[in-house]
Amino acid sequence: MSRPRGFVVVTGSELVRGDRTDLNGPFLAGELLRLGVEPSRIAIVGDDPAELESALSEGLEADLCLVSGGLGPTHDDRTVELVARAADRELVVDEPLEGEIEAISRAIAERLRRPYADFAVGVRKQATLPQGALVLGIAGTAPGLVLETERGAVVVLPGPPPELKRLWPRALETAPVQAVLSRARVPERRVLRFYGASESEIARALAESGGEGDGVSATVCARDFEIHVDLFADEEGREQAEKLAAGLRERAGRHLFAEDERPVEELVLEQCRQRGLTLATAESSTGGLVAARLTSVPGSSDVFLGAVVAYANEVKVAELGVPGEVIVRHGAVSAETAAAMAAGARERLGADVAVSVTGIAGPGGGSPEKPVGLVYLHAEAPNGDLARRLTLSGDRDAVRGRATVAALHLVRTLLARSRDEAA
Amino acid sequence: MSRPRGFVVVTGSELVRGDRTDLNGPFLAGELLRLGVEPSRIAIVGDDPAELESALSEGLEADLCLVSGGLGPTHDDRTVELVARAADRELVVDEPLEGEIEAISRAIAERLRRPYADFAVGVRKQATLPQGALVLGIAGTAPGLVLETERGAVVVLPGPPPELKRLWPRALETAPVQAVLSRARVPERRVLRFYGASESEIARALAESGGEGDGVSATVCARDFEIHVDLFADEEGREQAEKLAAGLRERAGRHLFAEDERPVEELVLEQCRQRGLTLATAESSTGGLVAARLTSVPGSSDVFLGAVVAYANEVKVAELGVPGEVIVRHGAVSAETAAAMAAGARERLGADVAVSVTGIAGPGGGSPEKPVGLVYLHAEAPNGDLARRLTLSGDRDAVRGRATVAALHLVRTLLARSRDEAA
């Protein structure tokens, strides 16, 4: 029995015009893979009806077609109408749904101080669904849908990624989607996360460990400046997957930081939590990105106290207590300043653990001695500290992004080391 | 005469599996638009030959088909072979090209200390082209190609973005592509950026102003919690575009904040710079995101001094001078605390202008009186201040993201107003 085939259709004229990079296609394709459905294509189309209809007709030839976008109230949001046509279904108004959407729209009308009449047409449109469609819930004023098709099912989801991710799990629970998944062979998935190794280094370690095949498919990809390895094993591939994982641990173990999907900021918070330590950051070139990553984790407030973003030298001195002469003698971008920033953050914010970042993000500000991409990191904990000097390539965003990830991994390493010493 | 139609085919199994986000599709689509060719679709397919061939066959029905990836030396890099089949051309070995690729491969073989024999097959494969193909140059060991088609031309480019961008300009100089571009009409592009209005509100204003057609196409899209309107006008559409822009200014002028593509953080920095004002932020629930946005702009250091991320109440008191009794009486998430945070940031960081954010990002921490999504903002400048209370929907990331954008727009509004008063 071959795997069911999946097809993703993403619609949005700003996406097909290159104004914005689509994130829903990769997310949904990854979900298909995870569920044992083969992602065969991602088609990105604009709001031209002919284009969208032809993409949808192709999509409906797959066992599971996932559609994102084009659910808005305006005339050029045609996804639902064209899904109905491609699936050869009548369009019917869902009265209860119309009631729900009307309630939401009346609230909006009130807030905007506009007559509800302005919204009525859009509400009616958004409550008009293909015969037999299942409603997954409402995103904004638009319903997500599942519709059974000849081959299997089509799932229609809103374009905004958070809304799409919110409704997607509900689609998985519907009978038409379950019917497709019952024909899928869910591969066993193992993840290994590496930091500090190159993609080709890890790819070589994978090949030397036996590589793909024998019921195992593997993906090695650089993401967020880490190397993520995913192993997907069928029944008969379980053993080979175990062998590959063991081989990777043996060959690249010193770069391996996790065998689950928790991001590094979550690991750092967990390390602190387990030992009752509080955390703070002191940031110059990253401008708050490290703090933003840490506070993106729900519940981070029980560990993370705060940060001082010391962009100007006066702030480094006044708010972090960096001695002026250290900046004068060694420069704001130096190991000495980084160390003083970390110490200052611990003292001023009353934190047990602190990490600091100072560097030159560019494009300006570089010099022969201190080129763009030069970054100093310093992590300090009750029982020790760790310093790091980086020379990063790439544009301003890349330098800031890499420095942010490096800072988080530096704290992780420091905390892991002191734990091992404690043990 | 209608615009020539463009079609982008991107191949790579890591892309269709969602392991990596494709960047070539958006780049090439944007290029098509810029050149006056209508980008109709971006198709992302893996290395399955049937999928790739069907995508290429569709692509060749467009006037200009741009293909990226699948040019490597191995058996599963089938793009050239399948382009030849889709275009119904013989495959022939290009002897001079084979010589070039051989030279490169011999050097690689030497570096890797491997016999050249290991490479010979791959070299022959990569030098085998569709009859009549024009070679654009070599990326790694793979040639980029242009081939005339029934409808126009197909351009075959390497997958690595830097290599693709290097060979792309050469494709534009070839006769088959020039022939297509001679039929293209380069549109004039106007942008209008709105904040505080809903997508449907702006769409309605656009419709009421005359809407699309008459040589003007328009996109209205919600991006980063703003509404972005792009108008694309052909020769005969210039006047209509002007009329639409004027209509939008009249109907939604109070929400219009820019008629260029500069992001709000850049506008805020520019407002400060023009008047010699320095800027700081005080952030709780956004955890540094506002500072990170401001410092993402090159040269922001001449305006932005720094930030205090006061996640814990102790930090609000100690580092921002928020009176403890204000927090006790009104709570950390209150208009009073937000005001004290902004004042504290100005005083402690010595900044002329400061904006503060305190709120409940969720998923936990909400209460009936203070639900998840409740956010207080406060902006303070030498000649006045502005406060805002928001109740935001969405998950933690959405609440933080919306609050960040709202904070930036609050400062922009305050500075714009005080400028008008000054004037």
Side-chain angles (χ1 to χ4, degrees):
Chain A
M1 183 181 78
S2 79
R3 290 169 121 193
R5 195 168 148 269
F7 194 110
V8 178
V9 177
V10 177
T11 176
S13 44
E14 73 282 4
L15 297 173
V16 78
R17 286 170 169 174
D19 296 344
R20 191 186 338 181
T21 303
D22 165 54
L23 299 175
N24 291 339
F27 168 76
L28 293 171
E31 287 290 288
L32 289 172
L33 194 68
R34 184 177 67 78
L35 295 163
V37 176
E38 187 62 44
S40 64
R41 191 182 303 193
I42 301 172
I44 302 173
V45 294
D47 49 23
D48 174 69
E51 286 292 340
L52 179 51
E53 186 177 1
S54 85
L56 289 169
S57 308
E58 283 173 45
L60 264 54
E61 287 168 22
D63 302 281
L64 187 54
C65 177
L66 308 181
V67 187
S68 136
L71 302 184
T74 64
H75 70 286
D76 56 4
D77 293 305
R78 292 200 180 79
T79 299
V80 171
E81 163 198 346
L82 296 174
V83 164
R85 193 183 304 174
D88 194 20
R89 299 286 185 103
E90 294 293 313
L91 280 168
V92 292
V93 176
D94 180 324
E95 303 292 351
L97 178 64
E98 185 173 23
E100 277 186 72
I101 300 176
E102 174 172 343
I104 298 167
S105 302
R106 284 194 182 279
I108 296 171
E110 213 162 288
R111 206 174 62 237
L112 301 177
R113 295 190 184 65
R114 300 186 62 102
Y116 171 71
D118 294 1
F119 293 77
V121 179
V123 169
R124 172 51 66 111
K125 172 197 175 291
Q126 292 188 295
T128 305
L129 310 180
Q131 189 93 54
L134 305 170
V135 176
L136 298 173
I138 298 178
T141 58
L145 308 176
V146 169
L147 187 65
E148 191 171 1
T149 61
E150 254 172 66
R151 294 297 194 98
V154 54
V155 180
V156 180
L157 297 163
E163 293 299 299
L164 176 132
K165 288 177 175 163
R166 185 169 62 83
L167 295 187
W168 169 240
R170 302 187 190 172
L172 295 182
E173 293 158 11
T174 62
V177 174
Q178 281 295 322
V180 174
L181 296 182
S182 68
R183 287 156 27 215
R185 291 174 306 172
V186 179
E188 186 182 76
R189 177 158 174 260
R190 289 171 163 280
V191 303
L192 296 95
R193 302 296 184 237
F194 300 87
Y195 180 72
S198 75
E199 189 171 357
S200 49
E201 222 174 320
I202 298 301
R204 197 179 319 112
L206 183 71
E208 289 167 0
S209 309
E212 288 192 288
D214 308 332
V216 180
S217 70
T219 64
V220 177
C221 79
R223 188 181 304 174
D224 196 22
F225 314 112
E226 300 167 346
I227 306 300
H228 293 189
V229 175
D230 289 23
L231 303 175
F232 299 92
D234 299 336
E235 297 291 342
E236 63 277 19
R238 302 282 156 92
E239 217 170 282
Q240 172 68 0
E242 182 42 66
K243 189 165 144 288
L244 286 178
L248 284 166
R249 282 187 212 103
E250 184 195 321
R251 290 175 175 79
R254 70 198 171 85
H255 299 299
L256 180 68
F257 71 88
E259 297 201 21
D260 61 44
E261 298 203 80
R262 287 178 300 166
V264 60
E265 56 268 30
E266 211 170 311
L267 299 176
V268 167
L269 290 166
E270 189 51 35
Q271 286 173 306
C272 290
R273 194 173 286 115
Q274 282 172 356
R275 290 148 65 187
L277 300 171
T278 57
L279 178 65
T281 73
E283 310 183 45
S284 182
S285 54
T286 47
L289 286 170
V290 183
R293 279 280 293 263
L294 288 163
T295 55
S296 70
V297 181
S300 44
S301 56
D302 60 0
V303 167
F304 184 75
L305 300 181
V308 173
V309 177
Y311 220 55
N313 289 342
E314 300 66 45
V315 177
K316 293 184 181 74
V317 174
E319 296 306 303
L320 289 170
V322 177
E325 65 268 25
V326 166
I327 295 178
V328 172
R329 184 166 325 122
H330 304 284
V333 178
S334 65
E336 293 78 3
T337 298
M341 287 170 68
R346 285 185 71 202
E347 192 230 316
R348 296 300 183 91
L349 302 182
D352 303 311
V353 182
V355 62
S356 66
V357 185
T358 180
I360 301 162
S367 71
E369 313 74 50
K370 298 191 174 180
V372 168
L374 177 66
V375 175
Y376 290 93
L377 308 172
H378 200 98
E380 193 175 293
N383 48 6
D385 65 350
L386 210 48
R388 192 148 179 230
R389 178 184 187 277
L390 305 166
T391 49
L392 303 171
S393 59
D395 63 10
R396 184 178 179 86
D397 288 348
V399 170
R400 282 158 48 93
R402 287 174 190 276
T404 299
V405 174
L408 291 166
H409 279 285
L410 190 69
V411 189
R412 180 187 55 75
T413 309
L414 174 63
L415 291 169
R417 192 176 66 183
S418 47
R419 183 198 58 225
D420 302 343
E421 284 163 356
Chain B
M1 180 182 80
S2 78
R3 291 170 118 195
R5 194 168 149 267
F7 194 112
V8 178
V9 177
V10 177
T11 174
S13 46
E14 73 284 4
L15 298 173
V16 79
R17 284 171 170 180
D19 295 340
R20 186 174 306 172
T21 303
D22 165 53
L23 299 174
N24 292 337
F27 168 76
L28 293 171
E31 287 290 289
L32 289 171
L33 193 69
R34 184 178 67 77
L35 294 162
V37 175
E38 186 62 46
S40 64
R41 191 182 303 193
I42 302 172
I44 303 173
V45 295
D47 48 23
D48 173 68
E51 286 291 341
L52 180 50
E53 186 176 0
S54 84
L56 289 170
S57 308
E58 285 173 43
L60 264 55
E61 286 168 22
D63 301 281
L64 187 54
C65 178
L66 309 181
V67 186
S68 137
L71 302 184
T74 64
H75 70 284
D76 56 5
D77 293 304
R78 292 202 178 79
T79 299
V80 170
E81 163 198 346
L82 296 175
V83 164
R85 193 183 301 175
D88 192 21
R89 299 287 185 103
E90 293 293 314
L91 280 167
V92 292
V93 176
D94 180 323
E95 302 293 351
L97 178 65
E98 185 174 21
E100 277 186 72
I101 300 176
E102 174 173 344
I104 299 167
S105 303
R106 284 192 182 280
I108 296 172
E110 213 162 291
R111 205 175 59 240
L112 302 178
R113 294 191 181 66
R114 285 173 47 190
Y116 172 71
D118 296 359
F119 292 78
V121 178
V123 169
R124 172 51 67 110
K125 171 198 177 290
Q126 291 187 296
T128 305
L129 311 180
Q131 188 93 50
L134 305 169
V135 176
L136 298 173
I138 298 178
T141 59
L145 308 175
V146 169
L147 187 66
E148 192 172 1
T149 61
E150 254 172 67
R151 293 295 192 98
V154 54
V155 180
V156 180
L157 297 163
E163 292 298 302
L164 176 133
K165 287 177 175 160
R166 184 169 64 81
L167 296 186
W168 169 240
R170 302 187 190 172
L172 294 182
E173 293 159 11
T174 61
V177 174
Q178 281 294 321
V180 174
L181 296 183
S182 68
R183 286 150 36 207
R185 293 171 304 174
V186 180
E188 185 182 75
R189 178 159 178 253
R190 283 172 168 283
V191 303
L192 296 96
R193 303 293 183 240
F194 299 87
Y195 180 72
S198 73
E199 188 170 358
S200 48
E201 220 177 327
I202 298 301
R204 197 181 316 110
L206 183 71
E208 289 167 359
S209 309
E212 289 193 291
D214 306 334
V216 179
S217 69
T219 64
V220 178
C221 81
R223 188 190 304 182
D224 196 23
F225 314 112
E226 299 167 348
I227 306 299
H228 293 189
V229 176
D230 289 23
L231 304 174
F232 299 91
D234 299 336
E235 294 292 342
E236 64 274 22
R238 301 278 157 95
E239 217 170 282
Q240 172 68 359
E242 181 43 67
K243 188 166 146 288
L244 285 177
L248 284 166
R249 284 189 209 99
E250 185 195 321
R251 290 176 174 77
R254 68 181 215 283
H255 299 299
L256 179 67
F257 70 89
E259 296 201 24
D260 61 41
E261 300 203 79
R262 286 178 302 166
V264 59
E265 56 268 29
E266 208 171 314
L267 299 175
V268 167
L269 290 165
E270 190 50 35
Q271 286 173 306
C272 291
R273 192 174 287 114
Q274 281 171 0
R275 292 149 63 187
L277 299 172
T278 56
L279 178 65
T281 73
E283 310 183 45
S284 182
S285 55
T286 47
L289 286 169
V290 183
R293 279 281 294 263
L294 288 163
T295 55
S296 70
V297 181
S300 45
S301 56
D302 61 359
V303 167
F304 184 74
L305 299 183
V308 172
V309 177
Y311 220 55
N313 288 343
E314 300 66 41
V315 176
K316 292 183 180 78
V317 173
E319 296 306 302
L320 290 171
V322 176
E325 64 269 25
V326 167
I327 297 179
V328 172
R329 183 165 327 121
H330 306 283
V333 177
S334 65
E336 293 78 5
T337 297
M341 286 171 69
R346 285 185 72 203
E347 190 229 318
R348 296 299 183 93
L349 301 182
D352 303 310
V353 182
V355 62
S356 65
V357 186
T358 180
I360 301 161
S367 70
E369 313 73 47
K370 298 194 175 179
V372 168
L374 177 65
V375 175
Y376 289 93
L377 307 173
H378 200 98
E380 192 176 294
N383 47 7
D385 64 348
L386 210 49
R388 188 143 185 238
R389 177 184 187 280
L390 303 166
T391 48
L392 303 171
S393 58
D395 64 8
R396 184 177 179 88
D397 288 349
V399 169
R400 281 158 48 94
R402 287 176 192 274
T404 299
V405 173
L408 291 166
H409 278 285
L410 190 70
V411 189
R412 180 186 55 72
T413 309
L414 174 63
L415 291 169
R417 174 203 287 177
S418 49
R419 183 198 58 226
D420 301 344
E421 285 164 355

